Amino acid sequence: MRLRALLETDALGLRLLGGEDELDRTVRGVMTTDLKDPSRYLSGGELVLTGLAWLREPEDAEPFVRILASAGVAALAAGEAELGDIPDDLVQACLRHRLPLFAVNESVAFATITEHVVRQVSGERAGDLAAVVDRHRRLMTSGPAGGGPEVVLDLLGSDLDLRAWVLSPTGRQIAGAGEPLDAGLAATLAGEHLAATRTGRRGPHRLSTAGSTYSLFPIRNTGRGAPPASRDVRETVLSDWLLAVEADAGDWPAARLDLLQGVTQLIAVERDRRDAARTVRRRLAQEVLELVQTGAAPAEIAARLRVAAPVLLPGLGTAPHWQVVVARVEWDTEGGTGAVDTGPVAQALLEEILVDPATVGADSADRIAVAHHGDEAIALVPLPAGPLPDSEDEGTTSIGLHADALLAAVRDPLSSGLADDGRLTLGVSAAVHSAEGLRGALEEARHARRVAAARPGRVCAAGHHELASHVLLLPFVPDDVRRAFTARLLDPLRDYDRRHRAELIPTLEAFLDCDGSWTRCATRLHLHVNTLRYRVGRIEQLTGRDLSRLEDKLDFFLALRMS
């Protein structure tokens, strides 16, 4: 806004004392001070309001005005409440430094002027930013992207003083202006957004945490050329990005909310453009998958892998190892609007999960090829060639992805999005070094996913190393058989523990963990060996089993694992 507009606003009670030729100066902010030297708080373009408490001697006026002029302020407005008429020394100093000077009527509060200036400046900045957003939108719909989400986030920061970040549904930062968002906070914001979206509440959603309030806007392309709106929120909730703004949008005017909606539209167009760029990698994965599943010759699969390798690992020069990851998203049918197409959801989600959560940026999945077959997403993950591990023993350093590590950073936000009616299960194969091993890796990943599906919880994963263990068998025992088996062996011990506080169950667990060693078990439990022998004898008496026999030890071990 211009100084002239302030002078023409009667409600502000301003009277010009000097600087008529400078009234076209632009006001970019307002600051109230009674410091002799306020230079550290000035950035240029301010209307400075002062009650003149700093003016004790006539010679004080010159250095004060010189400081304001050097800082590039737009004008000085002095209140008449303290001294009555504005001192002539101040008027003359402002004339010398060509600094416009206003007198503020004693009936007008500085707060009134401040509120007016802030409202006008914010409105003009919002209008300027809206024009920039509109210009970028036109550019992006007709040609190459103009710098990505970071450009518009920078504008939000510089013109509206809003800190904002674009987050994936797992809480990974896609874009941001300034300091990155704390990873834990980002995951919390993503989880809150997913949970609110699942309840059907319209955005922006708000969350107060760690002393700040954040407004969360969904990022969806609803403009021309956008895909048709989903009839079921579950088809998009786990793949949509969100815009997190450090501000409370609850009291924003409609114009500012509309502006932020325009920002999300702009980012959504960029999201669609980057998704389209993944088409080549998705097609490569689909072609390899079809060859593997139809039993094609290893030479044909190897030829296709040689095409894929330079795209996924450019500049590698040598054939990589490969790993297969299988994911599936399942929804309960009750309470929904019908069947949900889960294949594309699982595909987009797996692409995100396979990105290192510490990685910032939207292009960090460029080396991941994910296809979907029915309701199953299958990722072909290249690994730099190196020696494959011989075992999964503790202390062995192995290459590749590990099931638990993949989900560690994303389990909480995704659980919020899955709510009470969804599940994500994931299986990871061992690394293989040739096309011959790819079919086995695919089946291995699928088996591991089925093991994960048999576990409780909304987000579960299993790795290839679990397929060589009894753990593979336990999840597939029917529930009624599981309950009967564990009850027959463990219920007598639980009842005894409940009545006598005897801790027979913990004693049994420790005894089996110590491979039946009396000395090691007694040491672990801080018991005398005779006390341990008494407890084990009581266990055998109550169950009719003999813990010196391998068969009975194995039955107890399985019962504890299944309970």
Side-chain angles (χ1 to χ4, degrees), residues 142-215:
S142 61
E150 290 81 2
V151 172
V152 73
L153 296 186
D154 284 338
L155 288 169
L156 286 175
S158 62
D159 285 13
L160 295 184
D161 197 25
L162 293 175
R163 299 177 67 208
W165 303 265
V166 178
L167 305 178
S168 78
T170 66
R172 187 176 64 84
Q173 182 173 316
I174 304 296
E179 289 294 319
L181 198 60
D182 175 76
L185 175 57
T188 299
L189 295 178
E192 173 67 18
H193 174 74
L194 292 174
T197 302
R198 286 303 314 279
T199 64
R201 286 164 31 209
R202 297 190 62 180
H205 313 301
R206 287 174 290 158
L207 173 67
S208 294
T209 180
S212 297
T213 299
Y214 297 85
S215 298

Side-chain angles (χ1 to χ4, degrees), residues 269-283:
V269 172
E270 179 69 5
R271 165 72 187 272
D272 291 345
R273 187 183 301 279
R274 296 187 183 193
D275 275 351
R278 293 182 177 179
T279 302
V280 172
R281 297 188 296 279
R282 289 174 171 175
R283 188 169 62 245

Side-chain angles (χ1 to χ4, degrees), residues 58-83:
E59 55 268 22
D60 291 341
E62 172 65 26
F64 181 80
V65 172
R66 184 170 60 249
I67 289 170
L68 299 190
S70 299
V73 303
L76 173 65
E80 295 179 323
E82 182 75 19
L83 302 177

Side-chain angles (χ1 to χ4, degrees), residues 24 127 129 231 474:
D24 286 327
L129 182 60
R231 57 193 175 90
L474 298 186

Side-chain angles (χ1 to χ4, degrees), residues 231-232 234-236 329 331-332 336-343 345 375:
R231 57 193 175 90
D232 192 323
R234 296 178 298 179
E235 291 186 356
T236 59
V329 174
W331 302 103
D332 296 340
T337 57
V340 179
D341 187 4
T342 59
V345 176
D375 57 1

